Amino acid sequence: MPHDAPSPAETYDPLADARALHARIEALRQAMRLQIRALDGIERRLTPPQPEGRAGAARLRDLRARGML
């Protein structure tokens, strides 16, 4: 029974494929972080400034709503 050269399906390296997938996922996460940071900056510029007392009260309400207080 003659042996032929291995086909591309036989030389598939699942570890290399998993590493490439992991690298793509990490690149997408980094891009999302940058977009979130940019959107947060835009939101801060577009939001009218609040007096310090109002901002503090809003933070307390948010913490209470999340059950952190």
Side-chain angles (χ1 to χ4, degrees):
M1 191 165 174
H3 238 272
D4 295 327
S7 68
E10 293 175 17
T11 59
Y12 172 71
D13 184 8
L15 186 58
D17 190 43
R19 287 181 179 142
L21 179 61
H22 179 70
R24 285 192 299 258
I25 290 171
E26 191 55 40
L28 287 171
R29 283 182 178 160
Q30 181 63 25
M32 285 176 45
R33 284 186 206 112
L34 292 174
Q35 285 181 341
I36 289 170
R37 198 174 300 157
L39 290 173
D40 284 345
I42 291 170
E43 184 178 10
R44 277 192 302 274
R45 286 192 300 271
L46 294 176
T47 303
Q50 294 182 346
E52 186 57 36
R54 278 189 161 174
R59 281 194 297 270
L60 281 174
R61 281 193 303 274
D62 186 46
L63 288 172
R64 285 185 182 140
R66 291 182 188 181
M68 299 177 117
L69 286 178

